[in-house]
Amino acid sequence: MHMFLTIFAGVPTTLLITVASLALGMLGGIPLVLGRRSRFRALRMVSRFLIETLRGIPPLVWLFLIFFGFGSSMTWMTALMASIFGLGLISCAYMAEIYRGGLSAISAGQWEAAEALGMNHRSVLSKVIGPQVFRVSIPAAATYGIGLLKDSSVAFTIGVTDILFRATAQSYQTRDALTPFLIAGLVYIIITIPSAWGSRWLDARLKNRVAR
Amino acid sequence: MTQSAQNKKPVIHLQNVSKRFGANTVVDDVTLTVGEGEVAAIIGPSGAGKSTLLRCINLLERPDSGCITVCDTLVNAGEQIGAKELALLRRNAGMVFQSFNLFPHLTVLRNVSLAQERVLGRGRKEADEVSATLLDRVGLADKADEYPNRCSGGQQQRIAIARALALEPKVMLFDEPTSALDPELGLEVLAVMKELAVEGMTMVVVTHEMQFARDVGDHLIVMAEGAILEEGPPEEIFSAPRHGRTRQFLSAVLER
Amino acid sequence: MSFFAAWDSWFPTLLNGLWVSVRVAGLSLLLGLPAGLLLALGSSTKRRPVRWLVIGLVELGRGMPALVMLQIVYFGLPSAGLTLSAFVSAAIAFALTTAAYTSEILRGGLQAVPAGEVEAAEALGMARRDTLRFIVIPQGVRIAIPPLMGFAILIFQVTSLAYTIALPELTSQAYSIGSSSFRYTSVFVLAALLYLAVTIPTSFLTERVENRLARHL
């Protein structure tokens, strides 16, 4: 059906927002989790406050704040950029919590062994613990990513031409308000299924290289 | 306690019962009779199928072949059993588990009363009275309003015994009742079990407690690899086992 | 003009919006949680056709973004003859999402009840229905409370999506004030603070509840 293809054409944009935001989150989550587990109480509190704030405000409000609020003075900011930036910020907070869970899952023995070998704190983190945390976090990160894929639909409210935007446009054009949205729902479901399988496959491949 | 099995009315009868888990035959063509008032103790090495056999009696495990009779209820393997018959069978056979399996969100009194209300249809007041009497009998009357996790392992197991007795079963099944308890706490439980035996309760006990099997048991059953090796009065088997395998097991257990 | 100017005049309007958000979230949970429990029970039943149907519904409910569900209920249903107000549409759409997601949370809780207890109930001759009612559900739901509270916080945030169907909840109110005053940043910061005023204390409460529950059982 013509309608299906038009709506499906929004998939690349949806995927772009999801992947870019997730990437931002996976990077930005690192300083946040390090701050959260820092020795300095002030740093711990600031990190905790940032994480709670980022997670406690609805994504839509973040998008509006960034696009209409801050973005009104930054004319170079497109709706797409605002979406990626907003969802990326929120992802930093969620990834930080996922990393935190991953850190506690790595057996304490790893830390002790590495330090006994004379490695300094920073090397232990980056060479021994870090890669393991990354691998342990993959299932949770993949689950989060799938959720993000659905959350990315908020971007349509500020004009990003993703799946939902195209469905809404179709509903105006064809005066049929039910079918386009049902199709949109179907498209989201279709693209999340392979992602779920893919994450299970990836998890199985990496599972053996972690000491729990 | 030492009358011969032939004079007694059979309470439990297993005929050619087998149970497989996948390719593994865990219970291999077992035929067994337990008479009224008898205390049958089942012993043997791990993996001998003792627990599985016990669990077949009250159909927690469904046997693949053979038939099982508990009091007057007959069950054939492979046939569907009606809900009413199953309920009757389970009411007649009470079970006590290795890990007690009390309900942690209910008080001790409620633990003992709940099944009375739901299975026997007793009113709350009547059920609670019966529960209080039973708890007193096992020495735990003062724990009635406590929650199970505030009780020691030995106390929890005694509560579990009271819970099973509340339904007035004709036979009590014990699945390694003291294996999860330290020796001291285990003694309290064994004392209660001994009292039950003296009062004439028919009991089938899977256990590693050889002292109990010898002192309280009338009918010793030695199992290995899913089959019964020997059975008979405990004194006979302990002093003069006929099979090499029995000897091997007994020497490992009795001369620790 | 100061950043905080007019906050006092905006506050009552935004507070009304917040109240609408809370009511929608509350209604969604009230409708969705019992449905979630039914679905959780359905997904563990032995009868295969029922199980497949329930699992299918749950995956459908979880795979579809709440925002799309909302559009379907508010814009789509009238085409099929059922027209509902914005408030009711939001409550229903989010209740459906709640049912799908919480069914998985509750299923986890129900499965976490030790199998030994279910066996003991069986050995006592208790009917399956009674075992569920007295043993499995009370403990399973209790185990599920912390993740359910976490989900409640998320549903509260999801109510912001009702902006797209012109429900006068907090985000819509903030947007109208923003579009008439052009002080978007200012009003959205205030709206954000109002959201945080609900989500942060609830988060802390959830942590405390989790710690307390872990101690008892």
Side-chain angles (χ1 to χ4, degrees):
Chain A
M1 287 161 77
H2 166 71
M3 195 187 284
F4 181 82
L5 290 173
T6 318
I7 296 175
F8 199 81
V11 169
T13 311
T14 295
L15 285 177
L16 173 63
I17 301 175
T18 308
V19 173
S21 309
L22 190 61
L24 258 181
M26 290 181 89
L27 283 174
I30 297 176
L32 266 179
V33 72
L34 291 176
R36 186 86 170 69
R37 292 195 27 140
S38 148
R39 278 163 289 163
F40 304 113
R41 189 150 181 255
L43 200 55
R44 278 204 312 271
M45 288 178 68
V46 167
S47 305
R48 177 106 194 255
F49 171 72
L50 275 175
I51 292 175
E52 292 297 321
T53 306
L54 286 169
R55 296 203 313 171
I57 298 173
L60 185 57
V61 177
W62 275 118
L63 286 204
F64 282 177
L65 197 53
I66 292 171
F67 190 62
F68 296 121
F70 302 127
S72 56
S73 49
M74 302 177 215
T75 47
W76 47 266
M77 187 179 286
T78 66
L80 185 64
M81 282 197 255
S83 311
I84 294 177
F85 190 54
L87 290 172
L89 272 179
I90 298 175
S91 301
C92 290
Y94 279 97
M95 286 309 300
E97 288 295 284
I98 290 175
Y99 289 150
R100 192 163 74 95
L103 270 171
S104 26
I106 308 292
S107 72
Q110 293 285 302
W111 282 97
E112 288 169 3
E115 286 182 6
L117 285 167
M119 294 171 77
N120 68 29
H121 197 74
R122 184 184 273 185
S123 305
V124 176
L125 258 180
S126 57
K127 299 260 166 43
V128 178
I129 304 294
Q132 288 188 65
V133 173
F134 181 74
R135 288 197 195 105
V136 175
S137 305
I138 289 203
T143 309
Y144 178 69
I146 293 171
L148 196 56
L149 203 144
K150 289 176 269 171
D151 288 346
S152 69
S153 51
V154 280
F156 101 102
T157 59
I158 55 176
V160 177
T161 56
D162 69 341
I163 297 172
L164 190 51
F165 183 90
R166 287 168 191 261
T168 315
Q170 283 287 302
S171 76
Y172 292 153
Q173 277 181 32
T174 65
R175 307 303 225 81
D176 173 6
L178 189 56
T179 323
F181 292 124
L182 284 175
I183 292 178
L186 200 66
V187 172
Y188 277 106
I189 292 173
I190 291 175
I191 58 178
T192 50
I193 292 176
S195 325
W197 285 343
S199 86
R200 242 172 276 206
W201 173 83
L202 196 60
D203 177 45
R205 276 196 75 188
L206 297 174
K207 208 157 76 152
N208 299 327
R209 307 214 212 132
V210 176
R212 292 200 205 206
Chain B
M1 257 191 352
T2 47
Q3 291 146 341
S4 90
Q6 283 130 336
N7 297 348
K8 288 192 283 251
K9 174 185 140 185
V11 170
I12 295 180
H13 181 72
L14 284 88
Q15 184 73 41
N16 300 108
V17 170
S18 295
K19 174 74 186 164
R20 278 178 297 280
F21 288 118
N24 226 359
T25 305
V26 176
V27 174
D28 196 359
D29 200 37
V30 168
T31 300
L32 175 66
T33 307
V34 179
E36 194 171 3
E38 231 176 63
V39 176
I42 307 181
I43 65 174
S46 306
K50 316 188 289 292
S51 284
T52 311
L53 185 68
L54 193 76
R55 287 157 61 90
C56 281
I57 298 177
N58 68 350
L59 296 175
L60 282 182
E61 304 286 355
R62 296 294 168 101
D64 294 314
S65 56
C67 72
I68 295 172
T69 314
V70 175
C71 295
D72 296 309
T73 312
L74 172 81
V75 182
N76 277 310
E79 266 173 35
Q80 277 276 48
I81 177 172
K84 271 214 175 115
E85 277 95 55
L86 186 59
L88 181 62
L89 192 155
R90 286 182 171 162
R91 219 182 313 155
N92 285 327
M95 188 170 227
V96 175
F97 298 85
Q98 184 176 342
S99 45
F100 336 133
N101 291 336
L102 292 179
F103 307 131
H105 62 302
L106 301 174
T107 60
V108 166
L109 192 71
R110 285 300 293 153
N111 259 276
V112 183
S113 298
L114 183 65
Q116 292 179 62
E117 289 170 30
R118 304 310 302 180
V119 177
L120 298 179
R122 286 184 185 154
R124 193 164 184 139
K125 198 156 171 274
E126 195 195 340
D128 283 348
E129 273 167 19
V130 173
S131 304
T133 314
L134 281 169
L135 285 172
D136 189 50
R137 193 170 146 194
V138 299
L140 291 169
D142 54 335
K143 288 281 185 180
D145 293 320
E146 293 270 15
Y147 283 93
N149 60 11
R150 303 288 224 104
C151 304
S152 75
Q155 291 169 337
Q156 288 189 44
Q157 194 62 302
R158 285 186 275 155
I159 295 165
I161 294 177
R163 181 177 64 174
L165 289 175
L167 296 184
E168 286 157 29
K170 306 265 181 0
V171 57
M172 284 284 278
L173 307 172
F174 293 84
D175 190 358
E176 298 199 37
T178 56
S179 294
L181 300 170
D182 355 308
E184 283 179 353
L185 297 178
L187 283 180
E188 316 170 344
V189 175
L190 292 173
V192 170
M193 288 168 68
K194 185 167 180 177
E195 262 179 52
L196 269 180
V198 167
E199 286 163 15
M201 173 66 80
T202 313
M203 294 163 60
V204 184
V205 186
V206 172
T207 185
H208 293 302
E209 304 272 2
M210 296 305 150
Q211 201 65 332
F212 178 85
R214 178 183 265 159
D215 295 341
V216 183
D218 310 303
H219 181 179
L220 187 70
I221 299 154
V222 184
M223 279 184 78
E225 272 106 50
I228 295 181
L229 279 183
E230 302 190 36
E231 54 180 310
E235 269 316 316
E236 262 181 46
I237 299 182
F238 281 131
S239 48
R242 264 168 278 144
H243 278 253
R245 188 77 183 81
T246 318
R247 246 170 299 190
Q248 192 183 351
F249 174 70
L250 286 179
S251 65
V253 165
L254 292 173
E255 284 148 40
R256 283 179 81 79
Chain C
M1 196 188 228
S2 134
F3 183 78
F4 303 105
W7 272 27
D8 50 344
S9 63
W10 294 341
F11 193 75
T13 320
L14 292 183
L15 204 61
N16 283 337
L18 177 62
W19 182 229
V20 173
S21 301
V22 169
R23 278 165 47 213
V24 172
L27 193 55
S28 305
L29 290 169
L30 201 68
L31 294 172
L33 283 171
L37 184 58
L38 281 173
L39 287 173
L41 291 169
S43 63
S44 359
T45 186
K46 293 201 178 120
R47 278 174 281 173
R48 231 183 280 170
V50 178
R51 206 171 64 213
W52 286 129
L53 177 65
V54 168
I55 291 180
L57 285 174
V58 168
E59 286 305 313
L60 216 68
R62 292 197 332 153
M64 194 173 292
L67 189 49
V68 175
M69 194 78 92
L70 186 62
Q71 311 302 305
I72 291 177
V73 174
Y74 185 70
F75 292 117
L77 285 187
S79 304
L82 182 63
T83 309
L84 300 161
S85 74
F87 185 86
V88 175
S89 300
I92 290 182
F94 300 151
L96 289 171
T97 306
T98 300
Y101 279 91
T102 58
S103 83
E104 283 297 285
I105 295 175
L106 284 164
R107 188 169 70 94
L110 293 173
Q111 283 186 343
V113 176
E117 289 179 38
V118 177
E119 271 195 352
E122 252 186 276
L124 286 166
M126 277 175 74
R128 179 121 189 99
R129 185 172 293 182
D130 282 345
T131 308
L132 275 176
R133 181 175 159 200
F134 292 99
I135 310 297
V136 180
I137 293 178
Q139 293 185 82
V141 169
R142 189 142 173 227
I143 293 173
I145 286 180
L148 285 176
M149 283 178 76
F151 181 78
I153 297 175
L154 285 176
I155 274 289
F156 170 67
Q157 292 188 30
V158 158
T159 60
S160 61
L161 299 175
Y163 155 85
T164 59
I165 61 173
L167 181 71
E169 46 73 55
L170 181 49
T171 307
S172 311
Q173 300 280 35
Y175 186 82
S176 345
I177 294 178
S179 58
S180 58
S181 70
F182 292 105
R183 295 176 53 212
Y184 286 107
T185 312
S186 182
V187 71
F188 281 125
V189 167
L190 182 55
L193 288 173
L194 283 173
Y195 274 112
L196 289 176
V198 173
T199 56
I200 291 190
T202 316
S203 267
F204 281 166
L205 188 67
T206 307
E207 242 187 84
R208 286 192 66 187
V209 167
E210 201 167 355
N211 292 334
R212 276 199 78 194
L213 285 179
R215 261 190 276 141
H216 274 246
L217 291 174

